[in-house]
C-alpha cells in the first residue's frame, strides 16, 4: 500500500478541481472543524502525535499551542519551499491535490485563529504555483476561504507567494524574511515564529505535508490517526526515494516500515549487479547510513538513535559504483553555494570544506587534511543561527568517519595518477 | 605547491580583492526613492506591481519586492537597472533595497540572458543518474546560442525523473544526453519539449511509470 491517506486516489483525473475533491468528501473535515472549539482542535492535533514533516519533526499540535490567544493579528504560513535535495513529495501534493492542502491550512488557521495566510512556494515550482492559484480562487468562490468561511464568522485571507530560488528560504525564519521582502537570512531564535514571526505577528508555520495531513486527522479523529505508525512516530509519511534505485518516486508508507522494504521493496533497489553503498535517510542533510543499516525501522526515534534523522523523508541511495568523494564534494558545493553568508562558521566552513574536498579529489591532499576537515565540521555544528551549516557538516562528517579508508585510498590513487601525468619537478 | 605571482589576477590597485580605485565620493547624494515625476514607468508594469502591493499594508510593502522583480523580469527579460528603478519608484523604496533582494535569489537575472531558460539539475540525485553528462550535452549544443539561458541548477525537486531539466518552467525528464539536440530543436520551433517525458503527465502511484530500462 502506497496510497493510504494523503496519496489516496491521487492520480484521479480532475482532482485539482473542487468538484472532484468535494465529490470525494473534500471539505467535509473543514465543516466539522468549524463546529469544534479551536482549543479542542489544537488538543486533537496534539493527541494525534503528528510531527512536522518538513525536517525538524516537531509536534505540530505543540507548535500550534504556543501561539498566544487573544485579539491580535496572527498569521499562518505554509512552507512550500521544498528544496532539500532529494525531496519532491510536496510538489506531488500541490500538483495533484491542492485542495487537500488548502483545507488543511484553513482548519489549522481556524484552530489558532490566524486570519491571514501565505503559501510560500519555491519559484522553480511555477506550474504548481499556478495550480494552487487556480484552486485557491475556486475555494474562495465556494466560500471555503475568505471572509466569513462557510458562515462561521471566521475570516481567512490566503495568498500564494512565489520565492525566487534560494535553499535557505526553506528554513522557517529565512522564509519569513524572504516573505517580508528581504534577503533570506535566518533570524536569531528565540523569539520563535509562534511568538514573533511574520511582520512581528504570532505565526504558525508548517510544511505542506503536515498541513495536508490535518483534514485526515479531523476526519479520523486523533486516536484513530495515532494508531497508524509506531509510538512517537504516528501516521503515514511520504518518502521520496531517488538516486541509484530502479523505481524512484514518492511512496506513502506507514511510519515504522523496515528501511529495506522501502529501498529494495518499493523502490526496487539498486540496478542489477549493484548493491547499496550508502543512503541518506532524510534528505541530503542527514548523516549517511550504510548497507548494514537497512534493517532499521523507518521512524523518527529509531533513526535518531542511529545517529541520523528522518528529516524530510527523502531517501537518496548511492550504489557501490560511485565514489564517496564525489558525493561529498557535490553536497559540500551545494551548501557552499546556498549558504546565505550571515554566520561565519557556515559561510567559511562550507567554502573551505569544498576546497579541501577538491584537494582530496585531485590528489593534492594528505590524510591529515581529513582530520582538519572533520574538525571544521565540528566547528560548524551548533554555532550558527540556523542549521544550514550543520546540514553540510553532518553528512560530510559522517562520510569521512564511515568511509575514511576510501578517502585515504582515493588520495593515494589520485596522487599517484598526478605523479604519472606530471613527474615531480617537471612543473613549477 | 608553488604559486606563480605573475599569474594571480589582480585589480588595478594591486590587490586580489575588489575595492575602490577612487575614494568614495562623499559629495554624492545617497540612494533615494526615485522621483515619480522623472521616472516613467510603463502602465502595465505599474499595474502589476500595484496589484501585488495591495496584498500588504503600506508598512509591509517591501514584501512585494519579489513579485515586483518577477514583473520586471517578465517585461525586460532580466532585472535591468532601469527596471529596478521603476519597481523601486512604484514600491516607494530605494533602488538599493530592491537590488539587494534581486542579487540574493538565483532566479533573478542580473544581466541580459537568452529568452529560453533551461535549468539543468546537477544536484546529488540527478548527478547519480548522469546529470553531468546531460549538462555537458546541453552546453555543447546550446552553450553558445544567445537564445538560450542555460544554467546548472540546484535540486529542482524532481529526483523521480532524474536526470532532468526545467525548460522554460516545464519539468522534463529523464533526459538522455543523446536526446538534447531534439529537445533543443523543439524549443527553437516553439514546441513542447519531449512531451511524453513531462512531469505533469506522470502518475504518482504507479511504480511502473518510473521503471528504468
Amino acid at each position: 500500500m502506497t496510497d493510504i491517506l494523503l496519496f489516496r486516489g491521487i492520480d484521479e483525473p480532475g482532482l485539482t478541481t473542487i468538484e472532484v475533491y468535494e465529490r470525494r468528501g473534500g471539505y467535509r473535515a473543514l465543516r466539522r472543524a468549524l463546529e469544534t472549539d479551536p482549543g479542542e482542535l489544537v488538543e486533537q492535533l496534539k493527541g494525534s502525535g503528528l510531527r512536522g514533516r518538513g525536517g525538524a519533526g516537531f509536534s505540530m499540535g505543540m507548535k500550534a499551542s504556543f501561539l498566544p490567544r487573544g485579539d491580535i493579528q496572527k498569521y499562518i504560513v505554509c512552507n512550500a519551499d521544498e528544496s532539500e535535495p532529494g525531496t519532491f513529495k510536496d510538489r506531488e501534493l500541490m500538483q495533484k491535490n491542492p485542495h487537500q492542502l488548502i483545507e488543511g491550512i484553513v482548519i489549522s488557521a481556524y484552530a489558532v485563529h490566524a486570519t491571514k495566510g501565505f503559501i510560500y512556494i519555491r519559484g522553480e515550482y511555477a506550474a504548481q504555483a499556478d495550480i494552487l492559484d487556480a484552486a485557491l480562487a475556486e475555494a474562495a468562490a465556494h466560500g471555503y476561504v475568505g471572509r466569513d468561511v462557510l458562515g462561521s464568522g471566521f475570516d481567512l485571507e490566503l495568498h500564494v507567494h512565489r520565492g525566487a530560488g534560494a535553499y535557505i528560504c526553506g528554513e522557517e525564519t529565512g522564509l519569513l524574511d524572504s516573505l517580508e521582502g528581504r534577503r533570506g537570512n535566518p533570524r536569531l531564535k528565540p523569539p520563535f515564529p509562534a511568538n514573533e514571526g511574520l511582520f512581528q505577528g504570532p505565526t504558525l508555520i508548517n510544511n505542506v505535508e503536515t498541513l495536508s495531513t490535518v483534514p485526515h486527522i479531523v476526519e479520523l479523529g486523533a486516536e484513530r490517526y495515532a494508531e497508524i505508525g509506531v509510538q512517537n512516530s504516528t501516521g503515514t509519511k511520504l518518502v521520496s526515494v531517488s538516486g541509484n534505485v530502479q523505481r524512484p518516486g514518492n511512496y506513502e508508507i506507514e511510519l515504522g516500515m523496515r528501511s529495506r522494504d522501502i529501498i529494495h521493496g518499493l523502490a526496487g533497489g539498486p540496478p542489477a549487479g549493484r548493491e547499496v553503498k550508502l543512503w541518506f535517510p532524510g534528505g541530503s542533510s542527514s548523516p549517511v547510513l550504510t548497507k548494514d543499516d537497512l534493517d532499521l525501522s523507518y521512524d523518527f526515534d529509531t533513526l535518531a538513535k542511529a545517529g541520523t534523522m528522518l528529516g524530510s523523508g527523502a531517501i537518496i541511495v548511492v550504489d557501490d559504483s560511485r565514489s564517496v568523494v564525489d558525493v561529498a564534494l557535490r553536497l559540500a558545493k551545494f551548501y557552499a553555494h546556498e549558504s546565505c553568508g550571515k554566520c561565519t562558521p557556515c559561510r567559511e566552513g562550507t567554502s573551505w570544506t569544498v576546497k579541501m574536498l577538491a584537494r582530496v579529489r585531485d590528489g593534492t591532499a594528505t590524510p591529515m587534511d581529513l582530520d582538519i576537515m572533520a574538525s571544521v565540521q565540528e566547528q560548524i555544528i551548533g554555532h550558527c543561527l540556523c542549521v544550514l551549516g550543520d546540514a553540510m557538516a553532518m553528512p560530510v562528517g559522517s562520510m569521512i568517519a564511515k568511509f575514511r579508508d576510501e578517502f585515504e585510498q582515493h588520495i593515494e590513487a589520485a596522487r599517484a595518477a598526478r605523479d604519472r601525468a606530471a613527474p615531480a619537478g617537471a612543473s613549477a | 605547491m608553488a604559486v606563480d605571482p605573475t599569474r594571480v589576477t589582480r585589480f588595478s590597485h594591486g590587490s586580489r580583492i575588489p575595492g575602490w580605485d577612487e575614494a568614495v565620493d562623499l559629495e554624492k547624494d545617497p540612494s533615494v526613492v526615485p522621483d515619480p515625476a522623472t521616472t516613467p514607468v510603463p502602465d502595465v508594469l505599474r499595474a502589476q506591481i500595484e496589484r501585488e502591493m495591495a496584498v500588504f499594508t503600506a508598512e509591509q510593502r517591501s514584501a512585494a519586492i519579489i513579485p515586483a522583480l518577477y514583473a520586471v523580469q517578465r517585461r525586460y527579460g532580466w532585472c535591468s537597472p532601469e527596471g529596478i528603478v521603476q519597481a523601486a519608484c512604484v514600491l516607494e523604496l530605494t533602488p538599493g533595497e530592491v537590488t539587494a533582494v534581486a542579487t540574493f535569489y538565483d532566479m533573478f537575472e542580473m544581466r541580459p540572458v537568452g529568452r529560453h531558460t533551461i535549468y539543468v539539475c546537477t544536484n546529488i540525485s540527478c548527478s547519480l543518474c548522469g546529470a553531468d553528462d546531460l549538462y555537458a550535452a546541453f552546453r555543447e549544443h546550446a552553450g553558445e546560442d544567445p537564445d538560450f539561458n542555460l544554467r546548472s541548477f540546484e535540486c529542482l525537486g524532481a529526483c523521480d525523473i532524474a536526470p532532468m531539466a526545467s525548460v522554460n518552467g516545464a519539468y522534463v525528464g529523464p533526459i538522455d544526453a543523446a536526446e538534447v539536440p531534439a529537445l533543443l530543436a523543439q524549443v527553437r520551433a516553439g514546441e513542447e519539449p519531449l512531451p511524453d517525458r513531462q512531469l505533469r503527465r506522470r502518475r504518482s502511484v504507479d511504480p511502473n511509470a518510473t521503471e528504468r530500462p
Side-chain angles (χ1 to χ4, degrees):
Chain A
M1 282 285 280
T2 55
D3 47 354
I4 310 165
L5 290 176
L6 275 69
F7 262 17
R8 197 192 295 140
I10 191 143
D11 286 316
E12 183 166 344
L15 183 55
T16 54
T17 63
I18 204 158
E19 284 73 29
V20 176
Y21 186 68
E22 278 180 329
R23 198 184 67 222
R24 295 190 358 169
Y27 289 111
R28 206 166 51 197
L30 174 61
R31 285 175 202 278
R32 187 180 298 178
L34 290 173
E35 287 161 10
T36 315
D37 174 63
E40 165 61 26
L41 272 178
V42 173
E43 287 307 313
Q44 275 192 33
L45 290 174
K46 271 195 209 167
S48 72
L50 174 64
R51 294 172 66 167
R53 304 302 199 220
F58 191 76
S59 158
M60 188 211 168
M62 289 294 280
K63 214 176 189 179
S65 71
F66 292 156
L67 265 81
R69 305 262 142 225
D71 214 11
I72 171 174
Q73 172 71 65
K74 282 177 265 186
Y75 297 94
I76 185 160
V77 175
C78 169
N79 184 343
D81 189 79
E82 177 174 67
S83 27
E84 175 74 11
T87 316
F88 44 94
K89 62 190 176 62
D90 297 344
R91 183 205 75 204
E92 206 91 307
L93 288 173
M94 292 185 285
Q95 181 178 328
K96 300 272 175 77
N97 199 350
H99 285 289
Q100 178 176 255
L101 171 62
I102 293 170
E103 186 176 10
I105 293 174
V106 182
I107 296 172
S108 310
Y110 171 74
V112 298
H113 212 272
T115 53
K116 193 162 182 178
F118 294 92
I119 302 173
Y120 182 99
I121 182 167
R122 62 181 302 194
E124 294 88 340
Y125 284 175
Q128 289 76 9
D130 292 344
I131 290 170
L132 279 174
D133 264 336
L136 207 47
E138 272 188 317
H142 284 70
Y144 296 125
V145 183
R147 292 199 72 81
D148 194 14
V149 175
L150 295 176
S152 65
F154 168 66
D155 301 334
L156 175 66
E157 184 189 331
L158 190 58
H159 301 278
V160 178
H161 193 90
R162 291 156 174 81
Y167 171 72
I168 192 63
C169 294
E171 198 278 338
E172 58 181 13
T173 59
L175 184 153
L176 293 174
D177 260 33
S178 174
L179 184 45
E180 289 179 12
R182 290 201 286 271
R183 300 163 74 88
N185 293 328
R187 304 171 180 175
L188 180 67
K189 290 187 271 191
F192 287 93
N195 289 312
E196 209 180 303
L198 187 63
F199 304 122
Q200 273 90 55
T203 305
L204 179 67
I205 175 163
N206 274 117
N207 169 263
V208 170
E209 187 187 346
T210 316
L211 290 166
S212 295
T213 307
V214 170
H216 297 285
I217 292 174
V218 173
E219 281 271 298
L220 289 173
E223 290 78 26
R224 274 192 60 204
Y225 181 83
E227 282 166 14
I228 310 172
V230 293
Q231 200 181 7
N232 283 335
S233 298
T234 58
T236 67
K237 178 82 190 80
L238 300 182
V239 288
S240 311
V241 192
S242 68
N244 300 133
V245 288
Q246 297 188 42
R247 289 190 298 272
N250 282 309
Y251 300 95
E252 183 173 20
I253 61 148
E254 193 172 331
L255 282 165
M257 193 170 178
R258 202 165 61 130
S259 304
R260 185 187 299 277
D261 295 335
I262 304 173
I263 294 174
H264 285 273
L266 296 173
R274 294 282 163 204
E275 60 175 73
V276 175
K277 177 181 197 167
L278 60 94
W279 55 290
F280 297 80
S284 68
S285 306
S286 56
V288 298
L289 295 171
T290 63
K291 65 176 190 300
D292 303 331
D293 304 307
L294 282 170
D295 287 318
L296 289 176
S297 154
Y298 196 76
D299 65 70
F300 287 100
D301 290 0
T302 306
L303 291 172
K305 222 178 288 167
T308 179
M309 59 187 190
L310 187 135
S312 62
I315 297 180
I316 307 170
V317 179
V318 180
D319 74 20
D320 56 354
S321 67
R322 310 286 157 166
S323 154
V324 68
V325 178
D326 289 344
V327 173
L329 181 58
R330 176 78 51 171
L331 271 189
K333 273 186 180 165
F334 165 70
Y335 289 105
H337 174 248
E338 297 293 345
S339 173
C340 81
K342 188 171 184 174
C343 311
T344 311
C346 168
R347 183 185 63 237
E348 300 298 318
T350 51
S351 103
W352 277 103
T353 303
V354 170
K355 288 176 189 170
M356 287 187 284
L357 281 169
R359 287 214 297 264
V360 170
R361 181 197 57 194
D362 299 338
T364 54
T366 67
M368 207 180 81
D369 281 336
L370 296 176
D371 295 323
I372 298 173
M373 218 169 356
S375 98
V376 168
Q377 311 314 315
E378 280 166 30
Q379 302 298 323
I380 297 173
I381 293 175
H383 293 159
C384 307
L385 290 184
C386 83
V387 293
L388 188 145
D390 303 30
M392 179 205 69
M394 292 189 299
V396 170
S398 72
M399 276 185 255
I400 295 173
K402 290 184 179 172
F403 294 92
R404 191 171 171 115
D405 290 352
E406 192 182 326
F407 275 95
E408 288 179 357
Q409 283 162 15
H410 185 98
I411 292 172
E412 273 313 307
R415 197 214 317 269
R418 264 174 65 86
D419 286 349
R420 273 197 306 277
S427 68
Chain B
M1 197 166 44
V3 174
D4 176 5
T6 60
R7 293 187 59 191
V8 175
T9 327
R10 288 180 190 278
F11 289 86
S12 56
H13 44 70
S15 170
R16 285 191 291 167
I17 297 158
W20 289 274
D21 289 332
E22 308 282 330
V24 175
D25 182 1
L26 296 173
E27 302 292 305
K28 210 175 127 196
D29 280 334
S31 169
V32 291
V33 176
D35 183 356
T38 57
T39 314
V41 182
D43 289 341
V44 180
L45 185 64
R46 178 185 296 278
Q48 282 170 344
I49 296 175
E50 282 175 349
R51 199 164 52 237
E52 300 294 348
M53 288 169 72
V55 171
F56 305 97
T57 66
E59 303 96 80
Q60 298 169 355
R61 66 184 184 282
S62 64
I65 291 180
I66 291 178
L69 284 166
Y70 270 120
V72 167
Q73 188 155 295
R74 268 197 306 274
R75 182 173 181 93
Y76 298 107
W78 62 298
C79 292
S80 64
E82 300 76 30
I84 284 181
V85 169
Q86 288 168 1
C89 176
V90 180
L91 289 161
E92 295 179 43
L93 297 168
T94 65
E97 282 178 272
V98 181
T99 309
V101 173
T103 52
F104 186 82
Y105 296 93
D106 282 348
M107 289 174 71
F108 292 133
E109 305 290 350
M110 299 310 288
R111 53 193 60 179
V113 291
R115 62 201 165 99
H116 298 301
T117 298
I118 299 182
Y119 299 148
V120 183
C121 175
T122 51
N123 210 304
I124 178 121
S125 292
C126 280
S127 81
L128 289 169
C129 299
D132 294 330
D133 293 341
L134 179 65
Y135 182 54
F138 270 111
R139 284 238 312 248
E140 186 190 336
H141 296 285
E144 305 294 318
D145 189 333
D147 268 353
F148 285 95
N149 173 25
L150 176 66
R151 295 172 63 180
S152 74
F153 224 72
E154 299 305 352
C155 184
L156 290 161
C159 322
D160 42 351
I161 53 168
M164 58 79 63
S166 167
V167 182
N168 286 330
Y171 278 25
V172 191
I175 314 173
D176 194 275
E179 294 169 316
V180 168
L183 183 152
L184 291 170
Q186 285 165 330
V187 176
R188 285 191 181 103
E191 296 163 13
E192 271 193 73
L194 305 184
D196 58 324
R197 223 74 63 70
Q198 294 210 3
L199 178 74
R200 62 194 175 88
R201 299 215 169 83
R202 252 195 73 240
R203 293 171 62 83
S204 306
V205 188
D206 184 2
N208 293 324
T210 50
E211 185 118 37
R212 296 265 165 82

